[in-house]
Short mmCIF file of all heavy atoms in Angstrom, two decimals:
data_model
loop_
_atom_site.label_atom_id
_atom_site.label_comp_id
_atom_site.label_asym_id
_atom_site.label_seq_id
_atom_site.Cartn_x
_atom_site.Cartn_y
_atom_site.Cartn_z
N PHE A 18 7.77 8.84 4.21
CA PHE A 18 6.37 8.59 4.56
C PHE A 18 6.19 8.61 6.08
O PHE A 18 5.25 9.21 6.60
CB PHE A 18 5.92 7.25 4.00
CG PHE A 18 4.51 6.89 4.36
CD1 PHE A 18 3.44 7.46 3.69
CD2 PHE A 18 4.24 5.98 5.38
CE1 PHE A 18 2.14 7.14 4.03
CE2 PHE A 18 2.95 5.66 5.72
CZ PHE A 18 1.88 6.25 5.05
N TYR A 19 7.09 7.97 6.81
CA TYR A 19 6.99 7.98 8.27
C TYR A 19 7.13 9.39 8.83
O TYR A 19 6.42 9.77 9.77
CB TYR A 19 8.08 7.09 8.88
CG TYR A 19 7.88 5.61 8.65
CD1 TYR A 19 8.94 4.72 8.73
CD2 TYR A 19 6.62 5.08 8.37
CE1 TYR A 19 8.77 3.36 8.53
CE2 TYR A 19 6.44 3.72 8.18
CZ TYR A 19 7.52 2.87 8.25
OH TYR A 19 7.34 1.52 8.06
N LEU A 20 8.03 10.18 8.26
CA LEU A 20 8.20 11.55 8.73
C LEU A 20 6.92 12.37 8.53
O LEU A 20 6.57 13.21 9.36
CB LEU A 20 9.36 12.22 7.98
CG LEU A 20 10.77 11.75 8.36
CD1 LEU A 20 11.77 12.25 7.33
CD2 LEU A 20 11.14 12.24 9.76
N ALA A 21 6.23 12.11 7.43
CA ALA A 21 5.04 12.87 7.11
C ALA A 21 3.80 12.41 7.87
O ALA A 21 2.83 13.15 7.96
CB ALA A 21 4.76 12.80 5.60
N THR A 22 3.85 11.20 8.44
CA THR A 22 2.63 10.65 9.03
C THR A 22 2.76 10.23 10.48
O THR A 22 1.75 9.90 11.10
CB THR A 22 2.16 9.42 8.23
OG1 THR A 22 3.19 8.42 8.24
CG2 THR A 22 1.84 9.80 6.78
N GLN A 23 3.97 10.22 11.04
CA GLN A 23 4.15 9.73 12.40
C GLN A 23 4.89 10.74 13.27
O GLN A 23 5.73 11.50 12.78
CB GLN A 23 4.94 8.41 12.40
CG GLN A 23 4.25 7.26 11.69
CD GLN A 23 5.06 5.99 11.73
OE1 GLN A 23 6.09 5.91 12.41
NE2 GLN A 23 4.60 4.97 11.02
N GLN A 24 4.56 10.70 14.55
CA GLN A 24 5.31 11.46 15.54
C GLN A 24 6.48 10.60 16.03
O GLN A 24 6.63 9.45 15.65
CB GLN A 24 4.40 11.85 16.70
CG GLN A 24 3.19 12.68 16.29
CD GLN A 24 3.59 14.01 15.68
OE1 GLN A 24 4.49 14.69 16.19
NE2 GLN A 24 2.96 14.38 14.58
N GLY A 25 7.29 11.16 16.91
CA GLY A 25 8.38 10.39 17.48
C GLY A 25 9.73 10.84 16.96
O GLY A 25 9.83 11.57 15.96
N PRO A 26 10.79 10.41 17.62
CA PRO A 26 12.14 10.86 17.26
C PRO A 26 12.54 10.44 15.85
O PRO A 26 12.26 9.33 15.41
CB PRO A 26 13.04 10.18 18.30
CG PRO A 26 12.12 9.83 19.44
CD PRO A 26 10.81 9.54 18.82
N ILE A 27 13.22 11.35 15.17
CA ILE A 27 13.72 11.04 13.83
C ILE A 27 14.75 9.92 13.89
O ILE A 27 14.85 9.10 12.98
CB ILE A 27 14.30 12.32 13.18
CG1 ILE A 27 13.16 13.30 12.85
CG2 ILE A 27 15.11 11.98 11.92
CD1 ILE A 27 13.63 14.63 12.31
N ALA A 28 15.49 9.84 14.99
CA ALA A 28 16.48 8.76 15.14
C ALA A 28 15.81 7.39 15.09
O ALA A 28 16.37 6.43 14.55
CB ALA A 28 17.24 8.94 16.44
N ASP A 29 14.59 7.29 15.65
CA ASP A 29 13.88 6.00 15.62
C ASP A 29 13.49 5.64 14.19
O ASP A 29 13.51 4.46 13.81
CB ASP A 29 12.63 6.08 16.50
CG ASP A 29 12.97 6.13 17.98
OD1 ASP A 29 14.15 5.95 18.33
OD2 ASP A 29 12.05 6.35 18.79
N ILE A 30 13.11 6.63 13.41
CA ILE A 30 12.76 6.38 12.00
C ILE A 30 14.00 5.93 11.24
O ILE A 30 13.93 5.01 10.41
CB ILE A 30 12.14 7.64 11.37
CG1 ILE A 30 10.75 7.88 12.00
CG2 ILE A 30 12.03 7.50 9.85
CD1 ILE A 30 10.08 9.15 11.53
N ALA A 31 15.13 6.56 11.51
CA ALA A 31 16.37 6.17 10.85
C ALA A 31 16.67 4.70 11.08
O ALA A 31 16.99 3.96 10.15
CB ALA A 31 17.52 7.04 11.35
N VAL A 32 16.54 4.25 12.32
CA VAL A 32 16.80 2.85 12.65
C VAL A 32 15.77 1.95 11.97
O VAL A 32 16.09 0.88 11.44
CB VAL A 32 16.79 2.65 14.17
CG1 VAL A 32 16.86 1.16 14.52
CG2 VAL A 32 17.97 3.38 14.80
N ALA A 33 14.50 2.38 11.97
CA ALA A 33 13.43 1.55 11.42
C ALA A 33 13.63 1.26 9.94
O ALA A 33 13.19 0.21 9.45
CB ALA A 33 12.08 2.23 11.64
N VAL A 34 14.26 2.17 9.21
CA VAL A 34 14.46 1.96 7.77
C VAL A 34 15.87 1.47 7.44
O VAL A 34 16.23 1.39 6.27
CB VAL A 34 14.13 3.24 6.96
CG1 VAL A 34 12.68 3.63 7.15
CG2 VAL A 34 15.06 4.39 7.31
N GLY A 35 16.66 1.15 8.48
CA GLY A 35 17.91 0.44 8.21
C GLY A 35 19.19 1.25 8.31
O GLY A 35 20.23 0.77 7.86
N TYR A 36 19.13 2.44 8.90
CA TYR A 36 20.35 3.24 9.06
C TYR A 36 20.87 3.12 10.49
O TYR A 36 20.10 3.22 11.44
CB TYR A 36 20.09 4.70 8.71
CG TYR A 36 19.93 4.92 7.21
CD1 TYR A 36 18.69 4.76 6.61
CD2 TYR A 36 21.03 5.22 6.41
CE1 TYR A 36 18.54 4.91 5.24
CE2 TYR A 36 20.89 5.37 5.04
CZ TYR A 36 19.65 5.22 4.46
OH TYR A 36 19.50 5.37 3.10
N GLU A 37 22.17 2.93 10.63
CA GLU A 37 22.74 2.68 11.95
C GLU A 37 22.85 3.94 12.79
O GLU A 37 22.79 3.87 14.02
CB GLU A 37 24.12 2.02 11.81
CG GLU A 37 24.07 0.62 11.20
CD GLU A 37 25.42 -0.03 11.14
OE1 GLU A 37 26.41 0.61 11.55
OE2 GLU A 37 25.51 -1.20 10.70
N THR A 38 23.03 5.09 12.15
CA THR A 38 23.16 6.35 12.90
C THR A 38 22.28 7.42 12.27
O THR A 38 22.06 7.43 11.05
CB THR A 38 24.62 6.84 12.92
OG1 THR A 38 24.99 7.27 11.60
CG2 THR A 38 25.57 5.75 13.40
N PRO A 39 21.80 8.39 13.08
CA PRO A 39 21.03 9.50 12.53
C PRO A 39 21.83 10.34 11.53
O PRO A 39 21.26 10.86 10.57
CB PRO A 39 20.66 10.31 13.77
CG PRO A 39 20.72 9.35 14.90
CD PRO A 39 21.83 8.40 14.56
N GLU A 40 23.11 10.44 11.76
CA GLU A 40 23.94 11.26 10.87
C GLU A 40 24.00 10.66 9.46
O GLU A 40 23.87 11.36 8.45
CB GLU A 40 25.36 11.40 11.44
CG GLU A 40 25.43 12.20 12.73
CD GLU A 40 24.98 11.41 13.95
OE1 GLU A 40 24.91 10.16 13.86
OE2 GLU A 40 24.68 12.05 14.99
N THR A 41 24.20 9.33 9.40
CA THR A 41 24.23 8.66 8.10
C THR A 41 22.89 8.79 7.40
O THR A 41 22.81 9.05 6.19
CB THR A 41 24.57 7.17 8.27
OG1 THR A 41 25.82 7.05 8.94
CG2 THR A 41 24.66 6.47 6.92
N PHE A 42 21.80 8.63 8.16
CA PHE A 42 20.46 8.77 7.61
C PHE A 42 20.23 10.19 7.08
O PHE A 42 19.73 10.37 5.96
CB PHE A 42 19.43 8.45 8.69
CG PHE A 42 18.03 8.84 8.33
CD1 PHE A 42 17.37 8.23 7.27
CD2 PHE A 42 17.36 9.83 9.04
CE1 PHE A 42 16.07 8.59 6.93
CE2 PHE A 42 16.07 10.19 8.71
CZ PHE A 42 15.43 9.58 7.65
N THR A 43 20.62 11.20 7.83
CA THR A 43 20.39 12.58 7.42
C THR A 43 21.14 12.89 6.13
O THR A 43 20.58 13.52 5.22
CB THR A 43 20.81 13.56 8.53
OG1 THR A 43 19.98 13.34 9.68
CG2 THR A 43 20.66 15.00 8.07
N ARG A 44 22.38 12.46 6.01
CA ARG A 44 23.14 12.72 4.79
C ARG A 44 22.47 12.07 3.59
O ARG A 44 22.34 12.68 2.52
CB ARG A 44 24.59 12.22 4.95
CG ARG A 44 25.44 13.08 5.86
CD ARG A 44 26.92 12.76 5.69
NE ARG A 44 27.23 11.39 6.09
CZ ARG A 44 27.58 11.03 7.33
NH1 ARG A 44 27.66 11.95 8.27
NH2 ARG A 44 27.87 9.78 7.61
N ALA A 45 22.04 10.82 3.75
CA ALA A 45 21.38 10.13 2.64
C ALA A 45 20.05 10.80 2.30
O ALA A 45 19.69 10.93 1.12
CB ALA A 45 21.16 8.66 3.01
N PHE A 46 19.31 11.22 3.32
CA PHE A 46 18.01 11.85 3.09
C PHE A 46 18.17 13.16 2.34
O PHE A 46 17.40 13.45 1.42
CB PHE A 46 17.31 12.08 4.44
CG PHE A 46 15.86 12.41 4.31
CD1 PHE A 46 14.90 11.41 4.31
CD2 PHE A 46 15.43 13.72 4.17
CE1 PHE A 46 13.56 11.71 4.18
CE2 PHE A 46 14.10 14.03 4.04
CZ PHE A 46 13.15 13.02 4.05
N VAL A 47 19.15 13.95 2.71
CA VAL A 47 19.38 15.23 2.04
C VAL A 47 19.76 15.00 0.58
O VAL A 47 19.31 15.74 -0.31
CB VAL A 47 20.47 16.05 2.78
CG1 VAL A 47 20.89 17.26 1.94
CG2 VAL A 47 19.94 16.52 4.13
N ARG A 48 20.56 13.99 0.29
CA ARG A 48 20.91 13.68 -1.10
C ARG A 48 19.66 13.32 -1.90
O ARG A 48 19.53 13.68 -3.07
CB ARG A 48 21.91 12.53 -1.16
CG ARG A 48 23.32 12.92 -0.75
CD ARG A 48 24.33 11.86 -1.18
NE ARG A 48 24.07 10.56 -0.56
CZ ARG A 48 24.59 10.18 0.60
NH1 ARG A 48 25.40 10.99 1.27
NH2 ARG A 48 24.32 8.97 1.09
N ARG A 49 18.73 12.60 -1.27
CA ARG A 49 17.53 12.14 -1.99
C ARG A 49 16.48 13.24 -2.15
O ARG A 49 15.88 13.39 -3.21
CB ARG A 49 16.94 10.95 -1.22
CG ARG A 49 15.56 10.49 -1.68
CD ARG A 49 15.61 9.73 -2.99
NE ARG A 49 14.32 9.15 -3.30
CZ ARG A 49 13.32 9.82 -3.91
NH1 ARG A 49 13.49 11.06 -4.28
NH2 ARG A 49 12.19 9.21 -4.15
N PHE A 50 16.24 14.03 -1.10
CA PHE A 50 15.13 14.98 -1.10
C PHE A 50 15.55 16.45 -1.05
O PHE A 50 14.68 17.33 -1.06
CB PHE A 50 14.19 14.69 0.08
CG PHE A 50 13.45 13.38 -0.05
CD1 PHE A 50 13.87 12.26 0.67
CD2 PHE A 50 12.36 13.25 -0.88
CE1 PHE A 50 13.20 11.05 0.56
CE2 PHE A 50 11.69 12.04 -1.01
CZ PHE A 50 12.11 10.94 -0.28
N ALA A 51 16.85 16.71 -0.98
CA ALA A 51 17.37 18.09 -0.97
C ALA A 51 16.82 18.90 0.19
O ALA A 51 16.65 20.13 0.10
CB ALA A 51 17.07 18.80 -2.29
N THR A 52 16.53 18.26 1.30
CA THR A 52 16.10 18.93 2.52
C THR A 52 16.36 17.99 3.68
O THR A 52 16.54 16.78 3.49
CB THR A 52 14.61 19.31 2.46
OG1 THR A 52 14.29 20.13 3.59
CG2 THR A 52 13.71 18.09 2.45
N THR A 53 16.42 18.53 4.89
CA THR A 53 16.68 17.70 6.05
C THR A 53 15.42 16.94 6.46
O THR A 53 14.30 17.34 6.12
CB THR A 53 17.14 18.56 7.24
OG1 THR A 53 16.06 19.44 7.61
CG2 THR A 53 18.38 19.37 6.88
N PRO A 54 15.56 15.85 7.21
CA PRO A 54 14.38 15.14 7.69
C PRO A 54 13.43 16.01 8.50
O PRO A 54 12.21 15.93 8.35
CB PRO A 54 14.96 14.01 8.54
CG PRO A 54 16.31 13.75 7.94
CD PRO A 54 16.81 15.10 7.53
N SER A 55 13.96 16.87 9.36
CA SER A 55 13.09 17.72 10.17
C SER A 55 12.32 18.72 9.32
O SER A 55 11.12 18.97 9.55
CB SER A 55 13.90 18.45 11.24
OG SER A 55 14.92 19.23 10.64
N ALA A 56 12.97 19.29 8.30
CA ALA A 56 12.27 20.22 7.41
C ALA A 56 11.23 19.50 6.57
O ALA A 56 10.13 20.03 6.32
CB ALA A 56 13.27 20.95 6.51
N TYR A 57 11.55 18.29 6.16
CA TYR A 57 10.58 17.50 5.39
C TYR A 57 9.36 17.19 6.24
O TYR A 57 8.22 17.30 5.77
CB TYR A 57 11.24 16.21 4.91
CG TYR A 57 10.42 15.47 3.88
CD1 TYR A 57 10.63 15.66 2.52
CD2 TYR A 57 9.42 14.58 4.27
CE1 TYR A 57 9.88 15.00 1.57
CE2 TYR A 57 8.66 13.91 3.33
CZ TYR A 57 8.89 14.13 1.98
OH TYR A 57 8.13 13.47 1.05
N ARG A 58 9.56 16.81 7.48
CA ARG A 58 8.43 16.53 8.38
C ARG A 58 7.55 17.76 8.54
O ARG A 58 6.32 17.65 8.55
CB ARG A 58 8.95 16.07 9.74
CG ARG A 58 7.87 16.00 10.80
CD ARG A 58 8.40 15.47 12.11
NE ARG A 58 8.31 14.02 12.17
CZ ARG A 58 8.79 13.28 13.15
NH1 ARG A 58 9.44 13.84 14.14
NH2 ARG A 58 8.63 11.96 13.13
N ALA A 59 8.14 18.92 8.64
CA ALA A 59 7.36 20.15 8.81
C ALA A 59 6.47 20.41 7.60
O ALA A 59 5.36 20.95 7.72
CB ALA A 59 8.29 21.33 9.04
N ALA A 60 6.93 20.02 6.40
CA ALA A 60 6.14 20.24 5.19
C ALA A 60 5.01 19.23 5.04
O ALA A 60 3.97 19.53 4.46
CB ALA A 60 7.04 20.18 3.95
N ALA A 61 5.20 18.00 5.57
CA ALA A 61 4.18 16.94 5.60
C ALA A 61 3.36 16.87 4.32
O ALA A 61 2.18 17.18 4.32
CB ALA A 61 3.26 17.14 6.79
N PRO A 62 3.96 16.43 3.18
CA PRO A 62 3.24 16.50 1.90
C PRO A 62 2.26 15.38 1.65
O PRO A 62 1.42 15.48 0.77
CB PRO A 62 4.39 16.41 0.89
CG PRO A 62 5.39 15.54 1.58
CD PRO A 62 5.31 15.90 3.03
N VAL A 63 2.32 14.28 2.40
CA VAL A 63 1.67 13.06 1.92
C VAL A 63 0.15 13.14 1.87
O VAL A 63 -0.47 12.71 0.90
CB VAL A 63 2.15 11.87 2.78
CG1 VAL A 63 1.06 11.27 3.63
CG2 VAL A 63 2.70 10.80 1.89
N MET A 64 -0.49 13.70 2.88
CA MET A 64 -1.94 13.64 2.92
C MET A 64 -2.59 14.52 1.87
O MET A 64 -3.71 14.27 1.43
CB MET A 64 -2.44 14.04 4.32
CG MET A 64 -2.00 13.07 5.41
SD MET A 64 -2.42 11.36 5.02
CE MET A 64 -4.21 11.45 5.05
N ALA A 65 -1.91 15.54 1.45
CA ALA A 65 -2.52 16.47 0.50
C ALA A 65 -2.32 16.07 -0.95
O ALA A 65 -2.87 16.69 -1.84
CB ALA A 65 -1.94 17.87 0.71
N ARG A 66 -1.55 15.00 -1.19
CA ARG A 66 -1.18 14.71 -2.56
C ARG A 66 -1.54 13.30 -2.99
O ARG A 66 -0.87 12.69 -3.80
CB ARG A 66 0.33 14.96 -2.74
CG ARG A 66 0.68 16.42 -2.53
CD ARG A 66 2.16 16.66 -2.36
NE ARG A 66 2.91 16.46 -3.58
CZ ARG A 66 4.21 16.71 -3.69
NH1 ARG A 66 4.89 17.16 -2.67
NH2 ARG A 66 4.83 16.48 -4.82
N THR A 67 -2.64 12.77 -2.45
CA THR A 67 -3.11 11.45 -2.85
C THR A 67 -3.99 11.59 -4.08
O THR A 67 -5.01 12.26 -4.03
CB THR A 67 -3.91 10.79 -1.72
OG1 THR A 67 -3.09 10.75 -0.55
CG2 THR A 67 -4.32 9.38 -2.10
N PRO A 68 -3.66 10.98 -5.22
CA PRO A 68 -4.43 11.19 -6.44
C PRO A 68 -5.69 10.36 -6.49
O PRO A 68 -5.84 9.39 -5.74
CB PRO A 68 -3.46 10.72 -7.54
CG PRO A 68 -2.67 9.65 -6.86
CD PRO A 68 -2.50 10.09 -5.42
N ALA A 69 -6.61 10.72 -7.35
CA ALA A 69 -7.79 9.91 -7.59
C ALA A 69 -7.38 8.60 -8.23
O ALA A 69 -6.40 8.52 -8.95
CB ALA A 69 -8.77 10.65 -8.50
N ARG A 70 -8.15 7.52 -7.98
CA ARG A 70 -7.80 6.21 -8.50
C ARG A 70 -8.08 6.10 -9.99
O ARG A 70 -7.28 5.61 -10.75
CB ARG A 70 -8.61 5.15 -7.75
CG ARG A 70 -8.57 3.76 -8.38
CD ARG A 70 -7.20 3.13 -8.33
NE ARG A 70 -6.86 2.84 -6.96
CZ ARG A 70 -7.20 1.73 -6.35
NH1 ARG A 70 -7.84 0.80 -6.97
NH2 ARG A 70 -6.86 1.53 -5.10
N ARG A 71 -9.24 6.53 -10.43
CA ARG A 71 -9.63 6.38 -11.83
C ARG A 71 -10.12 7.72 -12.36
O ARG A 71 -11.28 8.06 -12.21
CB ARG A 71 -10.77 5.35 -11.97
CG ARG A 71 -10.39 3.95 -11.48
CD ARG A 71 -9.68 3.16 -12.58
NE ARG A 71 -9.52 1.78 -12.19
CZ ARG A 71 -8.43 1.30 -11.62
NH1 ARG A 71 -7.43 2.09 -11.34
NH2 ARG A 71 -8.35 0.02 -11.31
N PRO A 72 -9.27 8.56 -12.95
CA PRO A 72 -9.73 9.84 -13.48
C PRO A 72 -10.89 9.63 -14.46
O PRO A 72 -10.89 8.72 -15.27
CB PRO A 72 -8.49 10.37 -14.21
CG PRO A 72 -7.34 9.68 -13.55
CD PRO A 72 -7.85 8.31 -13.18
N GLY A 73 -11.89 10.49 -14.33
CA GLY A 73 -13.02 10.42 -15.25
C GLY A 73 -14.19 9.62 -14.71
O GLY A 73 -15.30 9.74 -15.22
N LEU A 74 -13.96 8.81 -13.66
CA LEU A 74 -15.06 8.03 -13.12
C LEU A 74 -15.73 8.72 -11.93
O LEU A 74 -16.77 8.27 -11.45
CB LEU A 74 -14.57 6.65 -12.66
CG LEU A 74 -14.14 5.69 -13.76
CD1 LEU A 74 -13.78 4.35 -13.14
CD2 LEU A 74 -15.25 5.49 -14.78
N GLU A 75 -15.14 9.81 -11.42
CA GLU A 75 -15.70 10.44 -10.24
C GLU A 75 -17.16 10.85 -10.45
O GLU A 75 -17.98 10.79 -9.54
CB GLU A 75 -14.88 11.70 -9.87
CG GLU A 75 -13.51 11.38 -9.28
CD GLU A 75 -12.47 11.09 -10.34
OE1 GLU A 75 -12.84 11.00 -11.53
OE2 GLU A 75 -11.30 10.97 -9.99
N GLN A 76 -17.50 11.27 -11.66
CA GLN A 76 -18.86 11.71 -11.92
C GLN A 76 -19.85 10.56 -11.83
O GLN A 76 -21.06 10.78 -11.73
CB GLN A 76 -18.94 12.35 -13.31
CG GLN A 76 -18.09 13.62 -13.45
CD GLN A 76 -16.64 13.32 -13.75
OE1 GLN A 76 -16.23 12.17 -13.83
NE2 GLN A 76 -15.85 14.37 -13.91
N GLU A 77 -19.38 9.32 -11.86
CA GLU A 77 -20.27 8.18 -11.87
C GLU A 77 -20.51 7.60 -10.49
O GLU A 77 -21.16 6.58 -10.34
CB GLU A 77 -19.69 7.08 -12.79
CG GLU A 77 -19.49 7.55 -14.22
CD GLU A 77 -18.86 6.46 -15.08
OE1 GLU A 77 -18.74 5.33 -14.58
OE2 GLU A 77 -18.51 6.76 -16.22
N ALA A 78 -19.95 8.23 -9.45
CA ALA A 78 -20.09 7.69 -8.10
C ALA A 78 -21.56 7.61 -7.71
O ALA A 78 -22.35 8.49 -8.00
CB ALA A 78 -19.33 8.58 -7.11
N ARG A 79 -21.91 6.54 -7.01
CA ARG A 79 -23.29 6.34 -6.57
C ARG A 79 -23.32 6.26 -5.04
O ARG A 79 -23.48 5.21 -4.46
CB ARG A 79 -23.86 5.04 -7.17
CG ARG A 79 -23.90 5.00 -8.69
CD ARG A 79 -24.99 5.91 -9.25
NE ARG A 79 -25.25 5.63 -10.65
CZ ARG A 79 -24.60 6.22 -11.65
NH1 ARG A 79 -23.65 7.08 -11.39
NH2 ARG A 79 -24.92 5.91 -12.89
N ARG A 80 -23.13 7.38 -4.38
CA ARG A 80 -23.22 7.48 -2.93
C ARG A 80 -22.45 6.35 -2.25
O ARG A 80 -23.04 5.42 -1.68
CB ARG A 80 -24.68 7.49 -2.48
CG ARG A 80 -25.46 8.69 -2.98
CD ARG A 80 -26.92 8.63 -2.51
NE ARG A 80 -26.97 8.67 -1.04
CZ ARG A 80 -26.94 9.79 -0.33
NH1 ARG A 80 -26.84 10.98 -0.93
NH2 ARG A 80 -27.01 9.75 0.98
N PRO A 81 -21.14 6.39 -2.28
CA PRO A 81 -20.35 5.33 -1.64
C PRO A 81 -20.58 5.32 -0.13
O PRO A 81 -20.92 6.35 0.47
CB PRO A 81 -18.91 5.70 -1.99
CG PRO A 81 -18.96 7.18 -2.24
CD PRO A 81 -20.29 7.44 -2.87
#
Side-chain angles (χ1 to χ4, degrees):
F18 178 78
Y19 290 158
L20 288 167
T22 60
Q23 297 181 7
Q24 301 298 316
I27 290 176
D29 289 352
I30 291 176
V32 172
V34 299
Y36 286 87
E37 294 183 359
T38 69
E40 293 77 17
T41 303
F42 168 65
T43 296
R44 287 195 296 270
F46 194 90
V47 169
R48 286 195 299 270
R49 170 75 172 84
F50 293 101
T52 188
T53 64
S55 58
Y57 192 94
R58 169 177 271 175
V63 114
M64 295 307 295
R66 296 166 70 175
T67 304
R70 168 67 67 86
R71 299 275 189 266
L74 291 184
E75 288 82 352
Q76 297 83 359
E77 301 177 8
R79 299 288 194 270
R80 297 179 62 84

